[in-house]
Structure formats: C-alpha cells, structure tokens
Amino acid sequence: MENVRYEGYNISYSDQGAGEVIVLLHGFCGSSGYWEQVIPLLSSDYRVIALDLRGHGGSDAPLGAYSVDQMADDVLALLNVLEISECYLLGHSLGGYVTLSFAQRYASRLKGFGLVHSTGYPDSEAAKENRLKSVSTIQNEGIFAFVDGLIPGLFAAGAAPQLLERAKEIGYRTPPQGAAGAAMAMRERIDRRDVISATVLPVLLVAGAEDSKVSPERIFTSDHPNVSQVTISGVGHMSMYEAPERLAEIIKDFVHAAVKK
C-alpha cells in the first residue's frame, strides 16, 4: 500500500497494472482489501487503483461525523496527486454513495462510473434510526462486536465460512471513530438517483440476486441506454468475494464497451 497526504490526512491506496484507469471504492467497515480477489483479474488489462476510504483501512480516521462529499473529495485529491485526468470509478455499497457524489460534482474527471450493490436512494427514516443504533453499538460494545453482527448479513445463505471470516478480519481493523463517522455519512446522504438518470456517461449497476441489504429494485433506478444493469445470481451484498471472477468479467465488459464508443 502507498500513501498520500490531503488536508493533513493520510490516504492509503494500492496501484497496480497499466492502461485505462479503474478506481475501486469499498463498502462500510471494509477496505481496499475487499477487492483483493478482483484486482488481479483486472490489473492484467487495466491500471487498477483501490483506496481506503476516510476512516477505514490504512487511511486516517478523524473524529466526528463524515460526509460522502468529503470522501469523494479525498478520491479527487488522490487522482490529482497521481495526475490522473480521467478514470472509471466503481463503488461498492458505501463506496457507491461516494461514487455518486463524485459523479455529480466532478463528472469531467470520469469516463464512466458504476455502483456495486449500492443505490442512489437516501436512507429511509428507519434506516437512519439504524445508523444511530450502529454508532451506539460501536461506541458501547466495540468494533469487534459490531463487525461480528454486520458481516453475516452481507453474504448469501450458504456462503463459504472462510469468506465471512476474511471480511470480518478486514472489518476488525476499522477504527471505531472511522466506522461511526462513516455511519453518519451514510445517514445524511441525499437522494442521488438523478445523477444516474441524467448523466450521459456510461453507467454500470450491479446487483446480487440474494442481496438482503440493497435489492435490485433499489439499484436499477434507470433504464436509459447508457446504463448497464447486471444481476449476479447466487450472491448477496459481497460479490467481490462471492463471485470475484464474474464481477471482474462484468467490469471488464463495461470498460471495454465504453472504450469502444
């Protein structure tokens, strides 16, 4: 992993391969490690950058609530430091919310973008209440207890136990203040379905057929010709672990088609 400094904060990232640039953003209580099985499959054809979002992995975890706009600004700062003018930006879950913020405000820096098990919808009132409960659990019971409760529900029934354990290992490394700050960022995010429906950029929307966190109906909010919709059968919220070869194939097909246009 490498590091850059932005506004006094450390941003940790990996940078592998060469060619068209694909930037991967992980989900809540994850890290760039979430993409560890996908990156080797992509980096043979593309330059793949995976960063640890603010509050996660090796990146700094300042105290207080975060916003998805802050996290998107961190991505922009990294692209500027690496002198990358344009990229394909793909975000999983929380990373998808960050991706939409970036696409709304910095569209000129994108060749295309995608959501992997993520949505343009904001949190419902019930979901907002659950975010506060998450923060309470993190603060009162610790990150290990919170991650132990979080991870099993992200996978489809029957997922290999070692996959859950690996996701937990990554989650345990999330600083408590980082997890709490990110939970508040998700709670306060705005409705950005219009970013998907209004853009002229190529868009990829990936759903898991057995995803209990974000259903395909909440992901597929636009059927415009520039929007590709793909459902992966047999997976839940974690296709990068449950079906890495299939996810990598979908991403490759998306980028290949966009480059040809």
Side-chain angles (χ1 to χ4, degrees):
M1 298 293 288
E2 301 177 65
N3 298 281
V4 300
R5 299 286 291 179
Y6 169 61
E7 293 189 346
Y9 295 114
N10 180 67
I11 303 171
S12 182
Y13 69 98
S14 69
D15 187 349
Q16 301 179 41
E20 294 283 350
V21 179
I22 299 174
V23 177
L24 302 174
L25 307 180
H26 61 81
F28 180 50
C29 286
S31 76
S32 54
Y34 265 17
W35 300 100
E36 60 194 356
Q37 295 187 51
V38 175
I39 290 173
L41 301 173
L42 296 177
S43 59
S44 58
D45 298 298
Y46 304 106
R47 181 181 178 185
V48 183
I49 296 169
L51 66 145
D52 294 342
L53 292 171
R54 177 181 295 235
H56 295 77
S59 293
D60 284 347
L63 293 171
Y66 307 160
S67 72
V68 294
D69 288 352
Q70 278 182 321
M71 292 177 168
D73 289 346
D74 293 343
V75 177
L76 178 66
L78 178 60
L79 294 180
N80 288 341
V81 169
L82 297 180
E83 298 182 343
I84 295 170
S85 60
E86 292 180 309
C87 70
Y88 294 90
L89 183 61
L90 302 170
H92 165 243
S93 198
L94 163 63
Y97 310 147
V98 177
T99 295
L100 288 177
S101 171
F102 192 102
Q104 183 178 53
R105 298 181 298 132
Y106 309 121
S108 65
R109 302 297 294 272
L110 296 177
K111 291 186 174 182
F113 65 91
L115 308 185
V116 181
H117 313 305
S118 191
T119 179
Y121 279 97
D123 266 0
S124 65
E125 290 305 313
K128 287 182 178 180
E129 186 62 29
N130 284 335
R131 301 292 186 198
L132 297 179
K133 292 178 181 177
S134 293
V135 172
S136 177
T137 299
I138 293 163
Q139 293 175 337
N140 296 320
E141 300 179 31
I143 193 66
F144 277 63
F146 177 73
V147 168
D148 282 343
L150 172 71
I151 295 300
L154 302 183
F155 288 82
Q162 62 266 30
L163 299 181
L164 278 71
E165 289 308 308
R166 177 56 183 153
K168 286 182 181 181
E169 288 175 9
I170 292 173
Y172 293 154
R173 298 180 192 141
T174 309
Q177 71 270 23
M184 295 306 294
M186 293 188 290
R187 185 180 190 270
E188 299 303 324
R189 75 183 191 277
I190 63 174
D191 189 332
R192 283 196 163 102
R193 284 174 289 170
D194 61 324
V195 178
I196 301 170
S197 61
T199 186
V200 297
L201 292 168
V203 179
L204 174 64
L205 303 176
V206 179
E210 299 182 37
D211 190 341
S212 63
K213 298 299 180 182
V214 186
S215 66
E217 292 75 20
R218 289 180 63 81
I219 296 173
F220 301 148
T221 57
S222 174
D223 57 2
H224 291 185
N226 61 310
V227 179
S228 301
Q229 302 180 0
V230 184
T231 301
I232 305 177
S233 62
V235 308
H237 197 65
M238 300 287 280
S239 61
M240 65 286 302
Y241 279 117
E242 297 173 282
E245 294 87 0
R246 177 63 181 132
L247 180 58
E249 178 186 23
I250 291 166
I251 295 172
K252 282 185 176 183
D253 288 347
F254 170 68
V255 174
H256 180 70
V259 169
K260 286 178 63 177
K261 288 183 179 178

